[in-house]
Amino acid sequence: MTQDRNQAVDVVRAVALIGIAVVNLPFMAQPMETMLVTPAAAMDRVALYLVELVFQAKFFLLFSFVFGWGMEIQIQAAQRAGASFARRFSRRLAMLALFGALHAVLVFSGDILLLYAMLGLITWAVRGATSRRLLLIAGGMIPVAALSLMVLAVLFAEIPLPPAHPNLGGSYTETVLTRWRDWPQTFFFLLLFQGHLAFAAFLAGIVAARNGLFESGNALAKNLRRKVLPLLVLGLTINALYVASGAFGEASPVLASLGFCSLALGGPILATAYLGLILSLSDRVRFPRFFLLAGRNSLSCYVTQGLLAGLLFGGYGLGLFGTLGNLTLLALSFAVTILAMLPVVAFASRFGHGPLELLLRKVTYG
């Protein structure tokens, strides 16, 4: 397989799709006032803590890392073809921004595509820096992330909860109007919660592509695989502090703030461990074509996840909004991920790419 179709790359994307569904589904299925309190049922609390420990703020970093990797691969491809990377990438970012705006209003206000397009512009500006400098900038994003999370912790403590939004479980028109109303504050939250670390992962991905991380026998990949266990232990330990901040934050505001800020370090460490684990598995396991095609067309799968969630929770579908606990949603997120992959993989098997990937390629390459 060519480098931009290495099995490990597609596996990373597919695994990230699962993790992102696990994190996003409760935000589509529950009112905000429910999201900000600890569930009463013991098994729902266990599910919530498991998601916070293992999934939250980890898998979007894998997506971001591959986004940066792909950017460098596109730079190299444009150079080989004698084409203008600036023209290609500007079109690509513009299309991502359009996808993101539509997705945020029509499907899920927690969309990350518009944020990716904005961060892509910043990454474009610094892409010519040396690998060492890019890694220094990426490392500098960790204290920035901790500061941003501290700001969010203060805001959560000082600002009262917004009024309930039952329209998220209403008709499609009602859900669109609610998302439109909520989008500015949601985007501000995403910027403070994810923007800095996503940018850091972009830069790390560029460096990884320059060093051939996904190529067979790569020394950097071998070194990362050897460090999976200590990274897992360290990452889970730090993320346990984040979980404790939610479980015992009311008793200790200081613990709550410190635990929330610890995500700035615990998230990237655990995401790095996951990347090393995926590289190890990709060396030993031949993943099914279905799974690889889903990862290869992750944009279409990501949007389809939101569409399916709308049919599950909206009043225009099954109307399950606000009726399911965290444990049920955790199990349901895996089912939604697979169901979202089915039509996309079927389409890609017939036409070569998913529907959104075809459109993105058409605009990018003219």
Side-chain angles (χ1 to χ4, degrees):
M1 303 179 77
T2 60
Q3 188 185 23
D4 64 340
R5 281 295 172 259
N6 184 289
Q7 175 184 233
V9 179
D10 295 329
V11 174
V12 170
R13 294 188 183 110
V15 169
L17 280 171
I18 298 171
I20 286 174
V22 169
V23 174
N24 284 352
L25 207 65
F27 289 92
M28 303 179 194
Q30 296 176 335
M32 184 56 67
E33 57 270 22
T34 301
M35 294 290 300
L36 296 178
V37 297
T38 304
M43 292 308 297
D44 284 335
R45 288 198 299 273
V46 171
L48 173 64
Y49 298 150
L50 179 63
V51 171
E52 290 178 343
L53 178 67
V54 178
F55 293 92
Q56 202 165 85
K58 287 85 174 172
F59 288 88
F60 84 88
L61 290 174
L62 291 178
F63 254 146
S64 303
F65 177 83
V66 175
F67 184 94
W69 175 88
M71 181 178 179
E72 178 63 23
I73 294 300
Q74 292 163 39
I75 291 173
Q76 296 173 12
Q79 290 173 344
R80 290 194 298 269
S84 169
F85 171 75
R87 179 176 297 178
R88 288 181 175 183
F89 199 63
S90 60
R91 290 173 176 175
R92 189 177 190 86
L93 291 183
M95 202 63 192
L96 271 182
L98 177 60
F99 284 162
L102 293 174
H103 184 242
V105 176
L106 301 179
V107 181
F108 176 46
S109 59
D111 163 80
I112 200 175
L113 298 176
L114 179 59
L115 181 61
Y116 269 30
M118 294 174 59
L119 295 175
L121 286 174
I122 303 174
T123 308
W124 187 1
V126 301
R127 72 189 187 279
T130 64
S131 295
R132 182 176 183 275
R133 179 162 295 182
L134 290 179
L135 290 179
L136 286 174
I137 296 172
M141 289 298 103
I142 292 179
V144 172
L147 180 61
S148 295
L149 292 174
M150 178 64 75
V151 171
L152 283 177
V154 172
L155 291 176
F156 286 151
E158 298 296 332
I159 298 178
L161 289 176
H165 294 334
N167 287 342
L168 283 174
S171 69
Y172 184 68
T173 300
E174 289 172 330
T175 61
V176 168
L177 292 176
T178 299
R179 282 191 287 265
W180 174 257
R181 179 187 61 200
D182 290 348
W183 185 25
Q185 63 190 39
T186 303
F187 187 80
F188 176 72
F189 169 80
L190 289 174
L191 186 62
L192 289 181
F193 188 75
Q194 297 181 327
H196 27 63
L197 293 180
F199 176 56
F202 282 7
L203 301 183
I206 290 175
V207 175
R210 290 177 180 177
N211 289 275
L213 178 71
F214 291 114
E215 295 175 1
S216 178
N218 180 263
L220 181 61
K222 288 181 179 179
N223 187 44
L224 180 56
R225 287 193 290 267
R226 285 196 295 267
K227 295 180 178 178
V228 166
L229 184 57
L231 285 171
L232 279 174
V233 172
L234 180 60
L236 289 172
T237 301
I238 297 175
N239 279 278
L241 181 59
Y242 168 64
V243 175
S245 73
F248 308 107
E250 293 182 4
S252 174
V254 174
L255 174 62
S257 298
L258 290 176
F260 196 62
C261 292
S262 71
L263 196 60
L265 184 59
I269 290 176
L270 206 50
T272 304
Y274 293 163
L275 177 61
L277 190 58
I278 291 170
L279 289 173
S280 296
L281 288 174
S282 295
D283 283 346
R284 296 171 172 80
V285 178
R286 182 61 191 175
F287 286 85
R289 181 173 180 271
F290 171 88
F291 197 64
L292 298 178
L293 272 179
R296 195 171 301 176
N297 298 282
S298 54
L299 175 60
S300 294
C301 289
Y302 168 66
V303 173
T304 306
Q305 285 178 358
L307 293 173
L308 288 177
L311 292 176
L312 285 172
F313 306 119
Y316 54 92
L318 297 181
L320 297 177
F321 183 77
T323 66
L324 303 179
N326 293 75
L327 181 61
T328 303
L329 291 173
L330 176 58
L332 189 59
S333 61
F334 292 96
V336 167
T337 303
I338 299 301
L339 288 174
M341 290 176 175
L342 288 172
V344 174
V345 169
F347 187 97
S349 297
R350 176 72 182 274
F351 299 103
H353 299 280
L356 296 184
E357 283 75 15
L358 279 177
L359 183 55
L360 189 61
R361 288 176 63 85
K362 178 66 176 178
V363 171
T364 299
Y365 299 107

